[in-house]
Amino acid sequence: MSRLELVDQALVSPVYLAGPGDSAWVTVPLTTASGWMALNQPLVPHVVLTGPRHKSQLRLEPVLEGPWWHVSDRDGRTGTNWQAAFDGSTPVELIAAVTDALTHPGYRLRQTVDPYEPLRQAGWATDPGRGAFLSPEGHVRGSRNSLGGSRSWHITARLDEDDPLWSAYLSAGTPPVILASLFTALASPEAARRSAEQMKGFPRRGITLEWERCPAEHVARALTERVEQLAARRAVTSPPPCPSAGEGLAPAGRRLR
């Protein structure tokens, strides 16, 4: 029997101070669970993924200054367009919250939600009238720019005024369901998992850090499980196939998770 390989895993909270993580947490589910396609661009050092109807796009482009992650969506039915941009040091869990909401099968229904409710429940200070919010310890600050009626959002994370960690921008027209998903991830009490390699040179101020030794196969399985969950979400909400001739008249049931 082969010896079980163990690896060190860091559990970091809050998630917004956990560092960037692995970009595959965002890109792999889009292509394997949500039907997005990668544009073939040889010799170009960036990733571009487009949604099945080519109305949504994710672009990951490492640059010296400015955002690395860009998410955009164009709704031909309503004529609305929105974009979100994130620095390269933004935790991937926050970017995944945006793409998970965007690829949800019910996204186009545009349900009315209060995006600030998850923050309030987690003890954040909020001022929805001004679009402002502040994390309990003051490390994350959000504000809405209403100049000219644009109502865009700007979010920053920093340990102190001279030590910025990451920033994000969401344009006017960003749907409340997208904001609610992002704000839920910001307020999540669940620790982010990082490898020992990802923790090298990582600032330890302001975080709670625990270590655990896990089987390497369990660590590798985490992304696979995420993909399976998102694929199941898509399958469950897809219309059932039409019954073949000769099958019973009773409608087929739909299995729910």
Side-chain angles (χ1 to χ4, degrees), residues 24-114:
W25 195 254
V26 178
T27 58
V28 170
L30 288 175
T31 56
T32 57
S34 299
W36 287 43
M37 298 182 61
L39 297 183
N40 185 17
Q41 295 179 302
L43 306 181
V44 177
H46 63 240
V47 175
V48 178
L49 306 179
T50 60
R53 295 177 179 82
H54 302 284
K55 295 179 180 179
S56 305
Q57 184 182 88
L58 177 139
R59 179 163 52 91
L60 172 57
E61 183 176 15
V63 293
L64 291 178
E65 296 183 4
W68 286 29
W69 296 89
H70 302 265
V71 183
S72 61
D73 181 64
R74 174 174 53 86
D75 190 332
R77 179 176 59 85
T78 63
T80 59
N81 299 275
W82 61 270
Q83 303 85 37
F86 301 86
D87 287 348
S89 52
T90 307
V92 291
E93 290 83 358
L94 304 183
I95 301 161
V98 171
T99 56
D100 287 358
L102 176 58
T103 56
H104 192 285
Y107 165 70
R108 296 293 177 189
L109 298 177
R110 309 265 180 173
Q111 296 179 358
T112 301
V113 296
D114 178 3

Side-chain angles (χ1 to χ4, degrees), residues 166-239:
W166 57 266
S167 65
Y169 166 84
L170 297 101
S171 74
T174 301
V177 290
I178 297 292
L179 295 172
S181 185
L182 174 58
F183 293 174
T184 298
L186 276 171
S188 173
E190 185 175 352
R193 291 183 173 269
R194 297 289 184 263
S195 68
E197 184 69 24
Q198 290 167 340
M199 294 301 295
K200 288 184 177 179
F202 187 81
R204 305 298 173 90
R205 291 189 297 133
I207 65 171
T208 298
L209 174 63
E210 297 180 2
W211 290 92
E212 67 177 22
R213 293 184 66 80
C214 308
E217 62 183 63
H218 290 183
V219 174
R221 178 70 184 166
L223 179 57
T224 301
E225 291 178 348
R226 168 167 159 74
V227 169
E228 291 174 349
Q229 290 170 0
L230 293 176
R233 180 186 73 173
R234 187 182 182 198
V236 164
T237 53
S238 298

Side-chain angles (χ1 to χ4, degrees), residues 119-165:
L119 299 177
R120 283 194 292 267
Q121 291 185 3
W124 290 45
T126 65
D127 183 353
R130 296 192 304 135
F133 55 87
L134 184 68
S135 62
E137 79 297 306
H139 291 322
V140 176
R141 181 182 301 272
S143 61
R144 187 179 64 213
N145 176 17
S146 298
L147 185 63
S150 66
R151 299 177 67 87
S152 59
W153 282 262
H154 186 225
I155 306 171
T156 58
R158 59 182 69 233
L159 292 176
D160 53 55
E161 289 299 320
D162 298 322
D163 193 7
L165 298 176

